[in-house]
């Protein structure tokens, strides 16, 4: 058995010298030191030895096992160091090479305009609120004094979900007036931006889906002068101090008196062009003093409190701000157009 152990030691030395990676080393370990390995097979023959030979052969066997284990451990360390060295070379990062500038997206002109308007109103002490796009007709019309039979309630103008015309895509952000009056303490100063939907034909200034910002103030002693002064200041902060506006009498069921506010066309400077349909002015918003009925329906004493409200189209504000001649450009998702902003 002594010769067998010596031969096994020599064979192991030759085999381990040829090992290239961890997988080969593990196979070698199993082959020589495993439960069914070659060293174990030799040791099973110890029973055939005499009592005098067993201690000697046993000591030699333990010595051979220890040598094998030590060489396997050393070989494993060497392989790990080589693999680490190769990995470091493979994953080396040259910090002197100029980096690649990450491509950062652009804010859409609509979002940019909404954010700027919100900041202007927040600076004036207004609170920004949000509400559902799927709305009840009672909030979109009834509670705003637009009774049955009003043209805006017709199926040709509004997107309804049911045959009873009670659930709809909101046609304005004005329902947030009612929701604010129901849930907030007086005085109230809010703006409510969001998407709205109407059955408008697509042209240079109209779209069936667009964005609106509703604003409302309710307090004691509020007058039409507060409305005009606030909106004029907003337009000057948005477009510059030389901005030209005009107010025209109008009629809305939820305000009395009512008006529309126009801003001079950015494309032609008031001369007349396709963008303003030859008028020299672009309608921006409708506004007025909140109708007493609207206040009373929400439980507010119209003898004590008054208020004003407005609703402005964000797309038209963005068109003038960025000098965009056609509203359709905003929604066509042409990267060449959007990258300008």
């Amino acid at each position: 058995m002594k010769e067998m152990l010596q031969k096994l030691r020599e064979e192991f030395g030759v085999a381990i010298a040829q090992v290239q990676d961890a997988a080969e080393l593990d196979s070698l370990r199993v082959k020589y030191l495993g439960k069914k390995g070659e060293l174990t097979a030799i040791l099973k023959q110890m029973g055939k030895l005499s009592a005098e030979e067993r201690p000697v052969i046993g000591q030699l066997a333990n010595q051979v096992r220890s040598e094998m284990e030590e060489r396997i451990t050393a070989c494993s360390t060497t392989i790990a160091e080589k693999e680490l060295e190769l990995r470091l070379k493979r994953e080396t990062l040259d910090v002197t090479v100029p980096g690649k500038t990450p491509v950062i997206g652009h804010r859409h002109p609509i979002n940019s305009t909404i954010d700027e308007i919100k900041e202007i109103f927040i600076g004036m002490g207004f609170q920004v609120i949000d509400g559902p796009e799927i709305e009840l007709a009672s909030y979109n019309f009834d509670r705003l004094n637009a009774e049955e039979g009003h043209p805006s309630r017709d199926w040709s103008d509004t997107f309804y979900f049911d045959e009873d015309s009670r659930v709809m895509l909101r046609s304005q952000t004005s329902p947030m007036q009612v929701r604010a009056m129901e849930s907030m303490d007086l005085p109230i100063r809010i703006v409510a931006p969001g998407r709205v939907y109407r059955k408008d034909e697509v042209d240079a200034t109209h779209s069936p889906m667009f964005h609106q910002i509703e604003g409302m103030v309710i307090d004691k002693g509020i007058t039409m002068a507060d409305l005009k002064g606030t909106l004029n200041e907003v337009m000057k902060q948005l477009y510059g101090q030389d901005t030209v506006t005009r107010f025209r009498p109008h009629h809305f069921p939820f305000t009395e008196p009512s008006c529309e506010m126009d801003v001079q066309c950015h494309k032609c400077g008031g001369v007349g062009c396709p963008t303003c349909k030859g008028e020299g002015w672009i309608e921006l918003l409708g506004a007025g003093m909140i109708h007493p009925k609207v206040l009373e329906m929400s439980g507010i004493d119209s003898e004590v409190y008054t208020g004003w409200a407005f609703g402005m189209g964000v797309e038209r504000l963005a068109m003038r701000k960025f000098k965009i001649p056609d509203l359709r450009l905003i929604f066509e998702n042409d990267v060449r157009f959007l990258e300008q902003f």
Side-chain angles (χ1 to χ4, degrees), residues 108-110 112-114 117 203-207 210-211 238-239 263-268 273-277 281-284 313-331 337 341:
H108 194 280
I110 293 298
S112 176
T113 303
I114 290 175
I117 295 171
D203 60 25
T205 56
H206 293 84
S207 169
F210 57 100
H211 298 76
L238 192 63
Y239 297 131
V263 67
Q264 197 172 77
C265 179
H266 61 276
K267 187 70 175 178
C268 64
C273 68
T275 299
C276 61
K277 298 182 178 179
W281 298 85
I282 295 177
E283 175 192 334
L284 284 186
V314 179
E315 279 74 8
R316 295 183 182 182
L317 293 171
M319 288 174 68
R320 189 183 192 283
K321 177 176 177 59
F322 297 111
K323 295 180 170 54
I324 300 172
D326 193 317
L327 181 144
R328 288 167 289 196
L329 292 169
I330 295 175
F331 298 116
F337 169 77
F341 308 101

Side-chain angles (χ1 to χ4, degrees), residues 133-142 146-172 175 196-200 208:
E133 294 180 22
I134 298 178
E135 187 58 273
L136 298 175
S138 58
Y139 281 96
N140 199 86
F141 294 123
D142 297 336
E147 300 175 349
E148 294 287 348
H150 192 277
S152 64
R153 302 185 69 144
D154 193 88
W155 277 76
S156 62
D157 287 344
T158 302
F159 295 99
Y160 289 103
F161 286 96
D162 60 335
E163 294 183 358
D164 296 331
S165 304
R166 305 314 301 170
V167 182
M168 57 180 289
L169 288 174
R170 65 181 180 186
S171 61
Q172 53 196 355
V196 298
Y197 307 85
R198 297 179 190 176
K199 291 184 178 178
D200 287 335

Side-chain angles (χ1 to χ4, degrees), residues 73-179:
T73 300
C75 186
S76 177
T77 302
T78 302
I79 290 173
E81 290 175 351
K82 289 181 178 179
E83 289 181 349
L84 178 59
E85 185 178 351
L86 289 173
R87 182 181 175 186
L88 291 173
K89 289 181 179 179
R90 188 170 57 248
E91 298 179 2
T92 296
L93 176 64
D94 187 352
V95 295
T96 65
V97 175
K100 294 181 179 179
T101 303
V103 178
I104 299 176
H106 300 266
R107 282 199 303 170
H108 194 280
I110 293 298
N111 292 334
S112 176
T113 303
I114 290 175
D115 290 344
E116 186 170 357
I117 295 171
K118 284 162 59 176
E119 287 300 316
I120 292 172
F121 276 102
I122 289 173
M124 293 180 171
F126 284 68
Q127 180 179 345
V128 179
I129 61 174
D130 191 19
E133 294 180 22
I134 298 178
E135 187 58 273
L136 298 175
S138 58
Y139 281 96
N140 199 86
F141 294 123
D142 297 336
R143 299 282 296 277
L144 292 169
N145 202 36
E147 300 175 349
E148 294 287 348
H150 192 277
S152 64
R153 302 185 69 144
D154 193 88
W155 277 76
S156 62
D157 287 344
T158 302
F159 295 99
Y160 289 103
F161 286 96
D162 60 335
E163 294 183 358
D164 296 331
S165 304
R166 305 314 301 170
V167 182
M168 57 180 289
L169 288 174
R170 65 181 180 186
S171 61
Q172 53 196 355
T173 49
S174 301
M176 292 310 299
Q177 286 187 36
V178 180
R179 294 183 180 277

Side-chain angles (χ1 to χ4, degrees), residues 1 46 48-59:
M1 286 187 66
M46 292 278 288
K48 300 178 182 179
L49 300 175
S50 64
E52 293 79 10
E53 291 178 314
R54 286 178 189 173
V56 176
I57 298 301
Q59 184 178 3

